[in-house]
Amino acid sequence: MTQSAIDRSVFSRGAWLRIADTTCLLQSSHPEFATTLAPWIKKRQAGEQACDFTLRVQVNDAWDALEPVHFRGSAHLVIAQYGSNVFLFDLHRKTVEARISQLVSRNTQLWADRFLPLILGVLGPSVGVLPLHSACVVKGGRGILIAGASTAGKSTLSVALAKSGFALLSDDWTYIRARADSLLACGLQVPVKLLPDAVQHFPELRPLTPVRTGNGEIAFEVHADEMFHVPVAARCTPSAFVFLERVPEGWPEMVPALGSFVQEYVNNSVERLPKELATAIDTRDRLIDSLRDLPCWTY
């Protein structure tokens, strides 16, 4: 990405965003772009610490189409392209530089469902956030992390639990960070993705048609609070870890597991970081160590 693609001289002074308990300084070339991200704008408090990362957005003549999608990485730099909409991540400087179309700049739902998860997923380790491939349900401020391989049933189980008295924090990605002497789990309230066979459990899905989602799966993609009228949560203190395993036959059972099981699962599921990001690697390792201290079961 060249200087002509991202011209920093046109950026506004910006606004402050709160995204999954991180603080972001937003700067944009378009005076109305902040309106698109209004749900995440927060007031700057006196004495508040510096921001976790900076997001600079230039709105120009990029194409509105979001396909094809390409990712490239080299050391601490990552480029994500959606059509001609481009995001450049500098994991060392903790910045995101984006060049987007007018249409993309006005689509709040697109930012909520795709681009904010993208930003946290790529930049998270550099700002003390562990993107964890797990669902999370909450009761009384305490959360249960539900992990497992794709198609194990994380989304189906988490929605079923939400219909049975829990609040739904996430069905796919949960963002973990340290807070005082405990952990904090945050969600982005993106749509849940339910595989086609979930219709046998949730008749509300019958009038809908599954679609191809961003990760290539064919699934129902719905907002749980609107479709199922279940409560949602934005954050919680994780208190247990459950790993789902599908077996061809037999009765379900809950089996205690060692913390090393959690540690191995998370280590095998996170993206590798370059050695230049030693601080981020150390922070992430400490978060994973804290997760292994949670009570853990396989189901």
Side-chain angles (χ1 to χ4, degrees):
M1 186 177 295
T2 64
Q3 180 67 24
S4 61
I6 294 292
D7 182 1
R8 293 175 181 160
S9 67
V10 301
F11 290 135
S12 65
R13 294 185 63 183
W16 296 96
L17 308 177
R18 195 68 169 174
I19 306 167
D21 208 53
T22 64
T23 300
C24 168
L25 172 60
L26 168 67
Q27 298 178 322
S28 175
S29 66
H30 197 293
E32 297 181 2
F33 177 67
T35 304
T36 300
L37 299 188
W40 299 274
I41 289 180
K42 62 184 289 289
K43 290 184 178 181
R44 183 75 167 165
Q45 302 296 326
E48 190 170 357
Q49 294 182 351
C51 68
D52 293 302
F53 65 95
T54 300
L55 170 62
R56 301 188 184 99
V57 178
Q58 184 167 343
V59 181
N60 58 14
D61 57 354
W63 302 334
D64 293 331
L66 298 177
E67 302 291 341
V69 178
H70 296 289
F71 283 85
R72 296 289 185 273
S74 178
H76 62 284
L77 298 176
V78 177
I79 296 177
Q81 290 184 266
Y82 294 80
S84 62
N85 297 272
V86 180
F87 294 79
L88 172 63
F89 298 84
D90 188 323
L91 305 186
H92 180 69
R93 294 181 176 82
K94 303 176 185 179
T95 60
V96 186
E97 311 254 15
R99 182 191 67 192
I100 61 173
S101 71
Q102 293 280 349
L103 185 62
V104 170
S105 75
R106 296 192 295 267
N107 193 328
T108 298
Q109 199 64 57
L110 182 63
W111 280 84
D113 296 349
R114 182 175 295 194
F115 294 140
L116 295 186
L118 167 73
I119 290 169
L120 271 190
V122 174
L123 203 62
S126 296
V127 298
V129 174
L130 170 63
L132 180 64
H133 191 199
S134 81
C136 183
V137 293
V138 184
K139 182 174 282 189
R142 300 175 68 82
I144 301 174
L145 300 168
I146 304 172
S150 296
T151 75
K154 297 186 298 294
S155 297
T156 301
L157 179 58
S158 58
V159 171
L161 288 171
K163 296 184 72 172
S164 301
F166 286 80
L168 180 65
L169 186 141
S170 67
D171 82 305
D172 195 27
W173 286 96
T174 303
Y175 303 93
I176 307 291
R177 70 180 314 173
R179 182 180 64 175
D181 58 351
S182 64
L183 293 175
L184 181 69
C186 299
L188 290 180
Q189 298 180 20
V190 300
V192 298
K193 297 179 180 66
L194 296 163
L195 296 179
D197 63 358
V199 72
Q200 62 185 301
H201 305 292
F202 309 120
E204 300 95 328
L205 297 173
R206 287 175 183 159
L208 306 180
T209 300
V211 299
R212 185 172 297 280
T213 64
N215 63 4
E217 290 181 331
I218 301 297
F220 296 103
E221 197 168 32
V222 298
H223 286 276
D225 54 342
E226 298 173 0
M227 174 60 62
F228 304 113
H229 307 292
V230 299
V232 296
R235 58 185 55 83
C236 72
T237 300
S239 59
F241 191 103
V242 176
F243 188 87
L244 300 184
E245 290 184 337
R246 280 200 170 187
V247 294
E249 57 184 17
W251 292 97
E253 59 178 340
M254 193 80 77
V255 180
L258 297 175
S260 57
F261 182 88
V262 175
Q263 186 176 37
E264 181 180 5
Y265 167 77
V266 179
N267 277 325
N268 289 337
S269 63
V270 297
E271 296 289 341
R272 297 293 172 258
L273 295 174
K275 61 183 180 180
E276 295 92 339
L277 300 175
T279 300
I281 293 172
D282 181 64
T283 299
R284 187 168 72 179
D285 286 346
R286 284 188 277 110
L287 287 171
I288 295 173
D289 287 343
S290 296
L291 282 174
R292 68 170 289 166
D293 293 334
L294 296 177
C296 174
W297 292 268
T298 60
Y299 178 67

